[in-house]
Amino acid sequence: MVAMMMMTVTRADSINYGEALRKSILFFEGQRSGKLPPSQRMKWRKDSALFDGSDIHIDMVGGYYDAGDNVKFHFPMAFTTTVLAWSVVEFGDLMGSEREHALDAIKWGTDYFMKATKIPDLVVAQVGNPYGDHDCWERPEDMDTPRTSYYITKEKPGSELAAEIAAALAASSIAFRTTDASYSNILLKRAIRVFDFANKYRGSYNNSVGEAVCPFYCDFNGYMDELVWGAAWLYKATKRARYWDFVKSNMQAANVSPFEFGWDGKAAGINVLVSEWVMNDSSSANLFIPNADALMCGLVGSPTKSFYYTKGGLLFREGACNLQNVTALSFLLIVYARFMEGVKKTLSCGKEVVDSKWLINIAKSQADYILGKNPLGMSYMVGYGSKYPQRIHHRGSVLPSLDAHPQHFGCRDGVAYFKTEKPNPNVLIGALVGGPAYDDSFQDSRYNPGQSEPTTYLNAPFVGVLAYLNKPNII
Ligand SMILES: *[C@@H]1O[C@H](CO)[C@@H](O)[C@H](O)[C@H]1NC(C)=O
Ligand SMILES: *[C@@H]1O[C@H](CO)[C@@H](O)[C@H](O)[C@H]1NC(C)=O
Ligand SMILES: *[C@@H]1O[C@H](CO)[C@@H](O)[C@H](O)[C@H]1NC(C)=O
């Protein structure tokens, strides 16, 4: 009797990680730009931006809109692709039939980056004038704002951008290795070329591209972390010593924000990625393992409280779009926990002896919070659970679709839809939003993009987290 009751309680409460995983990947179809394939499942989205790149005579049709606007910012798009690929590299075996959808989501990015890097010593940095775009509230399918293409060259370099694209191509080459060896080879060859370009012509795209990318996606903490991150992925993909040497000799310079992992800061990701192959190698472990250990102990909260958790239990960091940091750090917790399991390692965090299960439990608590176990009892994944954000800051979701409203909307014709209190007509299934404030409160309002806007780099690490949590009997 007692046992049965407990089971019922657990089930009623329980989170469906499999459903969340499926939806977290489906979301990427809602962000697609370009000509949509017949396999498109997010049906309210249609073809858009079919002439991108025509201003520079390079076919730049495709890729992803990065958030609730219609600009294709390649720097965060590349990070998104790298982390989606990492999710498949680590957890693809646990994804079941979702693995194929995850690979499609990666390929939508890598096919596009092959176009962006087609011409040697030139990398397209972005498509869409962000000022023109942000001035309008239009569906992607209607866009009539300037689709300007911006690019970097030898003379006007952008090492962070090119190196992150190299990382995305190298990581994806590993993700595709078993299912499509020839595509995998093509990606790897290009990754090698693009990394050389990034490394040889050094500089920040901040300066080379200027105000089209910064203040939107400024590279705040420098390009050394992207160069080392790119080299680490190339080493994992090729096992060539020159990449490993590059990683070791430049890590000190790259490690400026060791507790950060996101489209801007890669250091925490490098420390965890590299840990896999230095766990037993005491000679080069010192550059990486103590940093990764310190991050994990920080997240555990011992010996010092380096991270703040809300009363409801959510990891909270200053700045907009908090959940991007939560999903990315949760991913690192699980990946590192698995590497620890491989060598039967535990951590000494102050007085605490921390094992891999402890780290996985922290990541699980974050995922569960996001999916509804929180003081408001709401899910921060659109279309998951019975209560989720209804007024997300997202042009395509807010305006009626082409099916419902075939007539063109001009630049400001969508403003009334933005201002209404009504829920968005199109459900962007699987989208995570920026998430609640430090006091667990949440404003379901288009006027608060810091809380209500989805982004691709928010979802990408969550794909890996959910694939792992969906595995039976993990704890
Ligand atoms: C890029 O611009 C931001 C904002 O102005 C600045 O803080 C950062 O240092 C710049 N990064 C590089 C690598 O120049
Ligand atoms: C959260 O991640 C973003 C993207 O890397 C970064 O700009 C921001 O600084 C991070 N926040 C904190 C508090 O580290
Ligand atoms: C590292 O050492 C552990 C414990 O001796 C062993 O089980 C594991 O296989 C080793 N891993 C590698 C990558 O050599």
Side-chain angles (χ1 to χ4, degrees):
M1 241 342 234
V2 173
M4 265 182 67
M5 270 178 60
M6 277 184 56
M7 265 181 67
T8 323
V9 171
T10 324
R11 201 174 294 155
D13 246 29
S14 77
I15 304 267
N16 189 336
Y17 299 114
E19 180 191 345
L21 171 66
R22 184 173 64 76
K23 290 180 171 173
S24 71
I25 300 170
L26 181 57
F27 156 75
F28 288 93
E29 293 191 9
Q31 298 300 113
R32 281 176 172 174
S33 178
K35 178 108 190 103
L36 302 183
S39 59
Q40 172 83 9
R41 296 171 295 164
M42 190 88 80
K43 296 284 188 200
W44 55 268
R45 283 295 327 284
K46 310 289 174 189
D47 297 349
S48 62
L50 296 177
F51 302 100
D52 278 3
S54 55
D55 58 334
I56 53 169
H57 309 289
I58 301 175
D59 168 14
M60 288 304 302
V61 176
Y64 289 112
Y65 302 119
D66 98 295
D69 55 7
N70 302 328
V71 182
K72 298 191 292 194
F73 291 103
H74 297 183
F75 188 42
M77 195 197 299
F79 172 73
T80 295
T81 308
T82 309
V83 176
L84 270 177
W86 196 3
S87 294
V88 169
V89 169
E90 293 297 333
F91 307 116
D93 290 346
L94 304 174
M95 288 181 183
S97 55
E98 286 309 314
R99 183 196 177 108
E100 207 177 303
H101 291 134
L103 287 172
D104 286 346
I106 295 169
K107 193 160 187 291
W108 200 265
T110 47
D111 282 352
Y112 182 72
F113 287 125
M114 290 301 289
K115 296 180 175 183
T117 57
K118 189 173 171 198
I119 301 176
D121 297 338
L122 183 152
V123 175
V124 184
Q126 176 167 323
V127 180
N129 177 313
Y131 298 93
D133 185 275
H134 293 169
D135 196 39
C136 297
W137 191 262
E138 276 185 306
R139 300 181 292 206
E141 292 83 357
D142 281 336
M143 263 189 297
D144 44 17
T145 49
R147 298 299 292 172
T148 315
S149 303
Y150 305 89
Y151 53 91
I152 54 168
T153 59
K154 288 184 200 175
E155 292 75 28
K156 290 198 168 287
S159 298
E160 65 284 88
L161 172 76
E164 185 63 56
I165 292 177
L169 295 170
S172 303
S173 81
I174 304 174
F176 279 103
R177 204 174 265 166
T178 54
T179 51
D180 191 344
S182 77
Y183 189 61
S184 165
N185 281 335
I186 290 169
L187 297 180
L188 186 54
K189 265 197 200 133
R190 186 63 59 84
I192 290 168
R193 192 180 87 194
V194 174
F195 178 81
D196 285 342
F197 169 70
N199 184 29
K200 198 161 155 198
Y201 306 102
R202 290 200 184 178
S204 172
Y205 92 144
N206 266 4
N207 310 319
S208 303
V209 182
E211 62 179 17
V213 297
C214 186
F216 306 99
Y217 287 102
C218 305
D219 176 24
F220 290 101
N221 61 21
Y223 54 72
M224 279 317 295
D225 56 338
E226 280 82 18
L227 282 171
V228 172
W229 174 239
W233 277 108
L234 276 163
Y235 177 68
K236 192 170 163 71
T238 64
K239 291 284 169 320
R240 283 186 203 162
R242 74 178 184 101
Y243 295 119
W244 181 222
D245 292 341
F246 187 96
V247 170
K248 283 186 287 188
S249 41
N250 292 289
M251 188 56 197
Q252 222 127 29
N255 205 27
V256 277
S257 316
F259 282 10
E260 212 184 296
F261 186 48
W263 60 262
D264 180 21
K266 313 293 146 67
I270 301 166
N271 285 318
V272 170
L273 175 70
V274 168
S275 293
E276 184 184 16
W277 62 84
V278 298
M279 277 288 191
N280 288 0
D281 161 11
S282 51
S283 63
S284 46
N286 284 340
L287 279 168
F288 310 96
I289 304 272
N291 288 311
D293 286 356
L295 170 67
M296 300 300 146
C297 290
L299 289 163
V300 165
S302 177
T304 47
K305 293 215 179 318
S306 327
F307 289 88
Y308 173 78
Y309 289 87
T310 67
K311 278 210 179 93
L314 179 68
L315 179 63
F316 190 86
R317 311 197 82 185
E318 291 304 321
C321 190
N322 175 53
L323 288 190
Q324 70 176 312
N325 305 78
V326 177
T327 57
L329 294 172
S330 298
F331 179 77
L332 295 186
L333 277 163
I334 294 179
V335 172
Y336 199 63
R338 298 235 318 193
F339 295 162
M340 282 170 56
E341 278 165 15
V343 297
K344 300 187 170 54
K345 170 186 162 102
T346 55
L347 295 175
S348 300
C349 301
K351 285 190 205 123
E352 307 284 0
V353 178
V354 174
D355 64 2
S356 60
K357 287 197 171 65
W358 188 328
L359 301 184
I360 286 166
N361 267 321
I362 298 175
K364 183 176 182 300
S365 73
Q366 299 307 300
D368 291 356
Y369 183 110
I370 291 173
L371 295 173
K373 286 194 181 171
N374 56 60
L376 298 181
M378 84 181 275
S379 146
Y380 293 102
M381 177 185 278
V382 174
Y384 178 90
S386 51
K387 188 177 168 196
Y388 54 81
Q390 300 291 327
R391 293 170 200 82
I392 64 170
H393 183 102
H394 186 277
R395 286 162 176 73
S397 171
V398 168
L399 285 156
S401 70
L402 274 177
D403 290 332
H405 188 287
Q407 301 85 352
H408 178 87
F409 283 112
C411 172
R412 298 287 177 92
D413 296 344
V415 172
Y417 295 90
F418 179 94
K419 288 185 171 165
T420 174
E421 274 294 302
K422 287 190 198 150
N424 293 359
N426 306 309
V427 183
L428 185 62
I429 296 175
L432 297 182
V433 295
Y438 69 96
D439 59 358
D440 298 297
S441 68
F442 178 71
Q443 210 189 355
D444 186 3
S445 163
R446 299 171 198 112
Y447 288 98
N448 188 347
Q451 293 192 5
S452 73
E453 188 169 8
T455 70
T456 57
Y457 45 86
L458 243 164
N459 267 58
F462 210 46
V463 169
V465 169
L466 293 170
Y468 182 76
L469 294 178
N470 189 38
K471 177 180 162 212
N473 310 320
I474 45 156
I475 308 276

